[in-house]
Amino acid sequence: MNKLGILTSGGDAPGMNAAIRAVVIAAQQKNIETMGIKGGYQGLIDRNIDRLTPFNVEGIADKGGTILKTSRCLEFMKEEGRKKAVRVLKEFGITFLVVIGGDGSFKGAEKLHHLGINVISIPGTIDNDFAYTDYSIGFDTALNTILDSISKIKDTDLSHDKTTIIEVMGRYCGDLATYSALAGEGEIISIPERKLDFNTICSQINSKIASGKHDNLIIITEKMYDIRELKKYIEERLKISVRTSVLGFIQRGGSPSAFDRILASKMGVKAVELLTEGHSGLAVGIKENKLISIEFGNVNNILSDNYEKFRLLDTFSTFNKGDQVLS
Ligand code: ADP
Ligand code: F6P
């Protein structure tokens, strides 16, 4: 009987549990036993592995986080750590592996594939920072969490005629900022792919103020600026007081949206199908509402002008005409 190992790795994302559930149930229907590897690649190296049955995954699809826990594992970055992981997989008789995680986890999975392990990966990250797939599991839920905060901040900004800088997650990817600014009626976006300098941000606020709009939301991706410096710069230049709000880890938690649960369920089933058809070294994705699979080596090889986010920035500029610098 084949045995399938499953692990979650990197930052947790809402919907990972729904993906785990889908993999376990799909595997059982193909008569494959599933083993839960706890704590990502670290758990694999440490032999933290137990049987995972359909009974164990009942009622988890609506839970945030990951029942398998996750980690960032330095030991796995080294060849010796990965060789140890391969030895553990063999020791447990695990012939198939599903890795759910972000970009870094995929790189780890690719290396296992090259070491002879049959592995398929599923994109689970709030950042949506893969070029090959329109959506990763967790992005939609995080986006809705951000929107909830934006609505609340807008209520008080409007009442006080205030400007707020909201910093959202995304690592080096501007999707969370772009989508939330468009859906949440933000005024200014600055993202790693189209970074605005302080001066441009000030001129955009200024033109809003000149048009009579005094409550303005500036949505920025994390890691780009020191938010306190940006606040100080705007306050000194424009003589207005500016609020800041760093949304932080609330963006990673919470019950997954229907979209994420469905996406995770479809991807989990697809991953098992691919493995039983004899495939390995592939990442599952979704493109134009169709499930796809792509070789690990190509996950970030899509031309950047294909990015939906650039089209969204154009749409955003329609709502903020004359303000957004687009190229
Ligand atoms: P994410 O998967 O969310 O992008 P990380 O970048 O932290 O999160 O990656 C998760 C884990 O994947 C890392 O802690 C490490 O164990 C493994 N990993 C990341 N990059 C590599 C790499 N280049 N080679 C091997 N393993 C990697
Ligand atoms: O990858 C998901 C993410 O939440 C990023 O948006 C963020 O930069 C990072 O993880 C934070 O990582 P950590 O949990 O290690 O602080």
Side-chain angles (χ1 to χ4, degrees):
M1 191 189 196
N2 274 315
K3 259 192 203 172
L4 182 152
I6 175 164
L7 63 82
T8 47
S9 167
D12 62 304
M16 280 183 162
N17 283 329
I20 295 168
R21 174 175 174 268
V23 169
V24 172
I25 291 170
Q28 191 217 25
Q29 285 171 10
K30 293 188 184 289
N31 221 12
I32 298 169
E33 188 181 336
T34 38
M35 307 295 286
I37 301 164
K38 283 210 166 159
Y41 293 126
Q42 191 62 58
L44 175 56
I45 290 171
D46 296 341
R47 297 184 172 76
N48 198 351
I49 302 175
D50 275 316
R51 248 195 106 195
L52 198 60
T53 66
F55 177 73
N56 300 137
V57 296
E58 234 179 70
I60 65 168
D62 67 338
K63 305 284 183 293
T66 159
I67 59 158
L68 286 177
K69 300 190 183 286
T70 180
S71 67
R72 308 211 193 252
C73 172
L74 284 180
E75 203 178 342
F76 194 79
M77 302 289 283
K78 300 190 194 119
E79 204 184 338
E80 195 37 55
R82 293 193 291 273
K83 284 189 175 154
K84 197 167 167 198
V86 169
R87 286 198 296 275
V88 174
L89 287 169
K90 297 214 161 117
E91 181 190 323
F92 278 81
I94 293 174
T95 41
F96 296 141
L97 181 67
V98 174
V99 170
I100 307 170
D103 190 35
S105 305
F106 276 32
K107 288 189 184 118
E110 183 174 9
K111 291 190 174 154
L112 286 178
H113 165 69
H114 290 306
L115 287 168
I117 301 300
N118 297 313
V119 55
I120 299 290
S121 62
I122 295 177
T125 167
I126 65 164
D127 300 334
N128 212 34
D129 55 353
F130 287 112
Y132 80 97
T133 181
D134 289 342
Y135 297 106
S136 57
I137 297 165
F139 172 69
D140 182 67
T141 307
L143 175 59
N144 281 292
T145 302
I146 294 169
L147 284 176
D148 183 47
S149 300
I150 286 182
S151 294
K152 288 170 178 153
I153 290 168
K154 264 183 164 296
D155 287 345
T156 165
D157 276 359
L158 183 60
S159 308
H160 287 264
D161 273 343
K162 289 283 182 191
T163 286
T164 297
I165 309 167
I166 300 184
E167 183 187 289
V168 301
M169 280 186 169
R171 226 184 229 190
Y172 304 106
C173 173
D175 280 23
L176 282 172
T178 306
Y179 283 68
S180 64
L182 183 59
E185 298 182 48
E187 276 70 33
I188 294 157
I189 308 176
S190 185
I191 58 172
E193 301 88 339
R194 296 270 170 90
K195 183 175 175 180
L196 304 183
D197 58 27
F198 285 8
N199 185 40
T200 308
I201 292 175
C202 282
S203 7
Q204 293 191 3
I205 302 170
N206 227 357
S207 59
K208 288 288 175 193
I209 294 173
S211 73
K213 182 137 181 33
H214 294 274
D215 61 303
N216 290 299
L217 276 190
I218 306 158
I219 303 188
I220 62 169
T221 305
E222 63 178 341
K223 302 184 198 294
M224 291 172 56
Y225 322 103
D226 180 331
I227 196 168
R228 288 159 307 180
E229 270 177 27
L230 177 57
K231 166 185 157 72
K232 193 161 166 260
Y233 185 93
I234 301 170
E235 286 181 332
E236 283 172 7
R237 271 282 300 277
L238 303 183
K239 310 286 177 239
I240 57 172
S241 83
V242 174
R243 295 164 163 172
T244 57
S245 202
V246 177
L247 298 188
F249 283 93
I250 60 159
Q251 295 165 93
R252 283 246 293 261
S255 179
S257 64
F259 180 88
D260 276 331
R261 292 184 211 181
I262 292 165
L263 181 66
S265 304
K266 294 198 306 199
M267 287 182 164
V269 171
K270 176 80 176 171
V272 174
E273 247 171 52
L274 288 168
L275 284 166
T276 52
E277 284 166 4
H279 297 287
S280 174
L282 299 179
V284 178
I286 187 153
K287 207 81 197 161
E288 288 159 8
N289 216 20
K290 288 199 175 57
L291 283 182
I292 55 155
S293 57
I294 186 164
E295 283 177 18
F296 286 149
N298 291 328
V299 294
N300 280 322
N301 278 352
I302 314 282
L303 283 178
S304 58
D305 62 2
N306 267 349
Y307 265 165
E308 178 62 11
K309 125 183 65 196
F310 292 108
R311 283 192 284 271
L312 279 187
L313 279 177
D314 292 341
T315 308
F316 179 79
S317 71
T318 311
F319 296 95
N320 292 280
K321 263 274 171 275
D323 296 335
Q324 196 67 10
V325 177
L326 281 172
S327 54

